[in-house]
Amino acid sequence: MMHTAPLHRRRKMIASHLAEDLILKYRRRSLPVVKGDTVKVMRGEFRGHTGKVREVDTKRWRVEVEGVIITKVDGKKVPRPVHASNLLITKLNLTDPWRRRKLEEGLPEEVKKEIEKEAEEQVRVMEEEMAAAEEEARKAEEEAEEEMEEAPSESEEVPEEVEEISEETAETAEEEEKEEIAEMEEEKEMPEETAEEETEKKKEEGD
C-alpha cells in the first residue's frame, strides 16, 4: 500500500519528528517535510549536520538537504538524499498559508500570533533573498550585454588589418609584375644585339 500510494498521499507520509520545543509549541510529534524546513540529520554519515530542505522527492521517498553532498569518482559533487525518518525538524517553513492554518487548529491565540509573526518574518527574508537573486541576475545580464557590445568593436578592427594586408599584397603583386615586364623586355633586346654582332663579324670576314 505504501509503495503503490499516489503522490498526494506519499507527500503526507514523508514526515519527520519535530524538535522538543516545537512539539510543545505546536502540540504535534511529527509533520510532513516541506521545502524550506530546517532539519538536523540524526543518523548516517552526515549525523549532526543541520541545513534547509532543498527538495522532497515523493517518488523515491527521499529528502535533499543543503550541505549533504557526496563527491563522485569523476570529481562531480551531487546531493546525497536522506530518508525522512533520519531527520529532525528544528524550524518550520511557515510561508505557506495553508500549512499555517492547519498548524493553528486547536492552539491558543498567543501561539497563533507568534506563528503569524514568525511567518511574516520568514516572508520578508524570502522576499529579500528573491530580490537579491534578481539583482544578481540583472547584473549578470548587463555584464553579458556589455561583453556583446565590446565584441563588435573588436571585430570592426579586424577588417582594417585585413585591408592593410590586402594593400601590401597588392603592392608586392604590382612590383612582381613590373619585374616580370622588365625581364621580358631585356630578353627581347638580347636577340637583336646578338644578330647585329653576327652581321658585323661576317662583314669583317668578307673584308
Side-chain angles (χ1 to χ4, degrees), residues 66-99:
E66 291 179 356
V68 180
I69 56 176
I70 57 174
T71 305
K72 297 174 70 175
V73 178
D74 58 359
K76 186 178 180 181
K77 293 184 178 181
V78 295
R80 171 71 163 80
V82 184
H83 197 275
S85 62
N86 296 330
L87 301 174
L88 180 72
I89 300 175
T90 58
K91 186 177 180 181
L92 293 173
N93 179 11
L94 301 174
T95 56
D96 183 9
W98 184 86
R99 194 184 200 193

Side-chain angles (χ1 to χ4, degrees), residues 18-162:
L18 297 176
E20 290 184 6
D21 57 336
L22 298 182
I23 292 174
L24 296 173
K25 182 177 181 179
Y26 299 112
R27 298 179 183 178
R28 296 170 184 264
R29 184 171 294 277
S30 62
L31 277 175
V33 183
V34 301
K35 182 179 178 180
D37 284 346
T38 303
V39 296
K40 182 180 180 181
V41 182
M42 303 302 292
R43 302 179 192 86
E45 181 183 354
F46 295 92
R47 181 179 179 179
H49 176 81
T50 302
K52 284 189 176 182
V53 175
R54 293 180 64 252
E55 187 179 353
V56 179
D57 191 346
T58 53
K59 292 184 178 180
R60 296 191 299 166
W61 301 85
R62 294 292 184 272
V63 179
E64 291 184 8
V65 183
E66 291 179 356
V68 180
I69 56 176
I70 57 174
T71 305
K72 297 174 70 175
V73 178
D74 58 359
K76 186 178 180 181
K77 293 184 178 181
V78 295
R80 171 71 163 80
V82 184
H83 197 275
S85 62
N86 296 330
L87 301 174
L88 180 72
I89 300 175
T90 58
K91 186 177 180 181
L92 293 173
N93 179 11
L94 301 174
T95 56
D96 183 9
W98 184 86
R99 194 184 200 193
R100 292 202 303 272
R101 189 168 62 251
K102 296 294 288 184
L103 284 172
E104 291 172 358
E105 290 178 359
L107 296 178
E109 290 297 325
E110 293 180 0
V111 178
K112 290 181 181 179
K113 288 180 180 179
E114 289 179 5
I115 292 172
E116 292 297 330
K117 186 176 180 181
E118 187 177 355
E120 289 176 1
E121 182 67 20
Q122 290 184 6
V123 170
R124 184 183 64 78
V125 172
M126 185 177 66
E127 289 176 352
E128 288 177 357
E129 290 177 353
M130 290 176 65
E134 289 177 358
E135 183 68 18
E136 289 180 0
R138 187 181 62 80
K139 287 181 179 179
E141 288 179 0
E142 289 178 355
E143 289 177 359
E145 289 177 358
E146 288 177 359
E147 289 178 358
M148 291 293 290
E149 289 176 357
E150 290 175 359
S153 61
E154 292 177 357
S155 61
E156 287 174 358
E157 293 176 357
V158 174
E160 293 179 358
E161 295 178 358
V162 173

